[in-house]
Amino acid sequence: MVRLNEKQRRIRDRSDRAIADFLEGTDHAAAEFEDALARFSEQVAVFLVAEATGEQQELDFPDFSVLLEALEDCQLKEDEACELFDAAREEVDEMMGRRYADPTRPGKIPKMSQIPLQFQYVNAGYDKLWKENFGMGHAATMKLVDIVSEDPVIANRRKGAPPQTLVLVWLWRARLYGNGGSVFKTAQWAGISSGAVVAYSRLVVDALCRRTKDFVTYPTPEERLRAAQYQWIKVPVDGWQYGIIMIDGTTVNFDSRPGFDGNSYFDRKFEYSMNLQVVNLPETLRIVDFNVGYTGSANDQSVFKTMPLAKNPEKFLNPKEFILTDSAYSVTKYTLGPYKGRAAEVGINTRANAAISSLRVESEHAIEYLKGRFGSLSGLRMRMTRRRHHREAAKWISACITAHNIAIPFEGHAVILELREEQQAREDALEREQRLRATAPRHNDPDRPPEEIEDATVTTDEGTQFRNMLRDRLIAFEDELEMRVGRTHDGVLRMPRNWLGEDMPWEV
């Protein structure tokens, strides 16, 4: 049934009364009635076109008396009169319900939902197709549906789509980016209106944001122990295994320039974006903390200083634990980053940087894992014309991170291993280059201490002393290992199988 506004309903009622009054006591021929009705509809169409172009003051609405006079010469039975009356009403409803009075314009857009087809994929054993469409497996999706169903706003709704439909529509939209993730494309896929897509997405995002504190939490003692063991396998040197969490910054790009304060969103990569700080574990890549809301022009260190983890690290870290960072962050007692500037060219510092990079590369994997699941974070297609749209974009990113943590336990290590294999070649090449640089002469003396290098970034603060202590332990370990087993032809140390596990401290 076509929806009519108040003016259109009055026009329809006028036509109903005019035709009903005439047909009440008169018999007419159907053919002549239809011809007269067609001419009348043409007159109404001309009137609506003139009204849309602002010329309605020169025309009057078609007089029903013209139609009635044309029908006076007809003869029609009562049953046929009723049928033609209904046909006339439907004709007027369809014409007046259109946005434009164009008889060639098509009516309602035909739609067909693809959601039932997705369940047929799962029933046929093609869970991989489900994961490609929604970014997570069927079991993880159903867990997400259960969590969203428990939200009080969604659970107390009297009518509307079921929570399962809400989640699938949002996942489909969050999975894609650019034009593929537009509201219209999602509406066509789900067989719903564009307004429903926006409403469903808002309900799911709000529900997930209310559960963020339940799923984005700092590691438990068991997780801390597994993370320390995982780091020890990479660098089996006492003290290095306590870098159980790491932080890195990334940007969430927008598809267009924001309509307000657009210059503040312009980042160093020549994109309009929002800054996102991600803190994760090395083994499972689970995100334990994040910060979103600053624009893309903000520096990673400046954003990190506003986080509770930077203000009160002792509340989140156990003794001896520290945070692994890249060169964008400053070195403190609780953060370990690589050497920068000319100090990075010193042989022993280059070897320490290689060890730091091998430990904190999991931060890059975690960000790739997140953006690989939710492609919208690579190109967020959202309206950014008002300040409230900035908050909506931040909530969208928070909801994606919450859903990401919910799905991680259902996937095991298969996806994580696949991500690591994709970058293994690049990492091996980088490590090989760093090892060669470590053995090459620098400043006429590869073992020259960094304190004697001009402009070396070495000070006497606690952070630098802590980094130098870990570096000295690493160099002593590698020198001893080189004496025992030697190096390969490309300069990489051979790691004996029985080396791991010899008096290793596991206290975390």
Side-chain angles (χ1 to χ4, degrees):
M1 184 62 182
V2 180
R3 289 186 177 182
L4 304 178
N5 56 31
E6 185 64 28
K7 179 179 178 181
Q8 293 171 344
R9 282 197 296 270
R10 289 197 301 268
I11 296 175
R12 185 196 62 186
D13 296 340
R14 181 179 175 184
S15 65
D16 290 349
R17 290 194 302 269
I19 298 177
D21 292 344
F22 180 76
L23 293 178
E24 186 175 354
T26 311
D27 295 337
H28 302 280
E32 296 182 4
F33 180 86
E34 291 178 356
D35 293 340
L37 180 62
R39 292 194 300 270
F40 174 75
S41 298
E42 293 177 0
Q43 295 177 6
V44 175
V46 172
F47 172 79
L48 294 177
V49 171
E51 184 181 23
T53 57
E55 301 176 357
Q56 69 275 17
Q57 68 278 6
E58 301 179 2
L59 298 174
D60 295 329
F61 189 82
D63 190 0
F64 281 92
S65 61
V66 178
L67 176 62
L68 301 181
E69 293 175 358
L71 299 178
E72 288 180 354
D73 299 333
C74 303
Q75 292 182 356
L76 188 65
K77 295 181 180 180
E78 183 178 357
D79 294 341
E80 296 176 351
C82 294
E83 293 178 0
L84 291 176
F85 173 78
D86 295 338
R89 179 169 180 171
E90 292 178 1
E91 180 76 13
V92 175
D93 284 354
E94 181 181 358
M95 181 178 59
M96 300 302 296
R98 292 176 181 172
R99 187 172 182 179
Y100 302 99
D102 184 4
T104 63
R105 183 180 177 87
K108 185 178 180 180
I109 300 177
K111 298 177 181 178
M112 181 178 295
S113 177
Q114 299 294 316
I115 294 178
L117 180 62
Q118 312 304 317
F119 288 95
Q120 294 182 13
Y121 290 154
V122 177
N123 296 334
Y126 293 97
D127 188 72
K128 184 177 181 180
L129 294 177
W130 178 286
K131 187 174 182 179
E132 290 180 355
N133 291 333
F134 299 112
M136 59 182 68
H138 181 262
T141 305
M142 293 300 102
K143 177 63 176 179
L144 185 62
V145 170
D146 295 339
I147 293 172
V148 172
S149 303
E150 298 173 356
D151 185 75
V153 175
I154 296 180
N156 295 329
R157 292 187 309 155
R158 295 184 178 180
K159 59 180 181 179
Q164 179 176 271
T165 303
L166 304 181
V167 173
L168 294 182
V169 169
W170 177 75
L171 284 177
W172 175 269
R173 186 182 174 192
R175 174 68 170 167
L176 305 175
Y177 70 95
N179 293 335
S182 64
V183 174
F184 179 74
K185 293 275 188 180
T186 307
Q188 283 187 317
W189 173 82
I192 57 180
S193 64
S194 298
V197 173
V198 176
Y200 293 176
S201 301
R202 185 178 294 111
L203 285 172
V204 175
V205 168
D206 291 343
L208 290 176
C209 288
R210 283 189 283 268
R211 298 297 303 273
T212 298
K213 294 183 179 180
D214 298 333
F215 295 97
V216 182
T217 59
Y218 277 86
T220 62
E222 293 77 10
E223 290 178 321
R224 294 175 186 269
L225 178 59
R226 289 197 302 268
Q229 294 172 346
Y230 182 82
Q231 298 292 64
W232 179 269
I233 294 176
K234 288 187 172 184
V235 182
V237 180
D238 185 21
W240 287 79
Q241 74 273 20
Y242 296 115
I244 62 171
I245 62 175
M246 52 207 66
I247 186 172
D248 195 10
T250 184
T251 56
V252 178
N253 298 333
F254 297 110
D255 66 329
S256 60
R257 182 182 185 275
F260 70 96
D261 296 338
N263 293 336
S264 64
Y265 291 87
F266 196 71
D267 58 23
R268 59 185 178 84
K269 299 179 181 179
F270 306 101
E271 298 284 351
Y272 295 98
S273 61
M274 181 178 292
N275 187 284
L276 173 63
Q277 298 291 312
V278 177
V279 184
N280 66 282
L281 293 174
E283 182 185 17
T284 61
L285 304 183
R286 185 176 73 85
I287 299 176
V288 299
D289 195 6
F290 67 95
N291 183 292
V292 63
Y294 284 86
T295 58
S297 60
N299 180 268
D300 288 343
Q301 173 63 21
S302 301
V303 178
F304 174 62
K305 288 170 60 177
T306 65
M307 299 178 61
L309 178 61
K311 295 179 178 179
N312 301 297
E314 62 278 356
K315 294 184 178 180
F316 305 96
L317 301 175
N318 292 336
K320 298 183 179 181
E321 293 180 349
F322 55 89
I323 309 168
L324 293 169
T325 66
D326 58 13
S327 58
Y329 302 85
S330 60
V331 178
T332 66
K333 181 180 179 180
Y334 297 96
T335 58
L336 177 63
Y339 290 90
K340 297 182 291 185
R342 297 186 61 185
E345 300 178 358
V346 182
I348 56 177
N349 291 348
T350 303
R351 293 158 66 180
N353 285 352
I356 295 174
S357 299
S358 65
L359 293 179
R360 66 156 300 275
V361 71
E362 306 299 342
S363 182
E364 306 289 345
H365 295 166
I367 295 176
E368 182 181 358
Y369 194 10
L370 174 64
K371 291 189 174 182
R373 186 192 303 278
F374 296 109
S376 61
L377 300 182
S378 299
L380 195 56
R381 187 184 177 94
M382 294 186 67
R383 180 183 299 176
M384 296 291 294
T385 57
R386 287 174 172 78
R387 296 191 180 277
R388 62 180 178 87
H389 296 154
H390 180 94
R391 294 190 295 269
E392 292 177 359
K395 291 173 64 176
W396 181 282
I397 299 172
S398 301
C400 290
I401 293 176
T402 304
H404 176 69
N405 276 4
I406 294 174
I408 285 179
F410 292 88
E411 298 178 345
H413 297 280
V415 178
I416 300 176
L417 292 176
E418 183 178 353
L419 287 172
R420 288 166 179 162
E421 290 175 358
E422 291 178 355
Q423 295 189 354
Q424 189 63 39
R426 296 193 297 268
E427 295 173 11
D428 292 343
L430 178 61
E431 182 179 1
R432 189 178 301 109
E433 180 182 356
Q434 292 174 339
R435 296 290 183 180
L436 292 176
R437 289 180 58 189
T439 58
R442 298 289 182 181
H443 302 285
N444 301 326
D445 187 0
D447 295 329
R448 185 179 178 183
E451 290 78 6
E452 300 180 8
I453 302 297
E454 184 181 359
D455 297 332
T457 57
V458 177
T459 59
T460 58
D461 58 6
E462 295 182 352
T464 304
Q465 292 178 1
F466 172 68
R467 182 174 60 179
N468 292 341
M469 180 267 294
L470 293 179
R471 178 202 62 191
D472 296 340
R473 291 183 181 179
L474 175 70
I475 298 304
F477 164 77
E478 291 185 347
D479 292 344
E480 181 182 357
L481 184 61
E482 183 177 6
M483 294 177 59
R484 294 178 55 177
V485 297
R487 293 179 179 266
T488 61
H489 64 280
D490 55 358
V492 179
L493 289 173
R494 292 189 178 94
M495 186 69 67
R497 296 182 179 180
N498 60 351
W499 183 264
L500 302 179
E502 296 182 357
D503 300 329
M504 302 304 167
W506 293 114
E507 295 79 4
V508 178

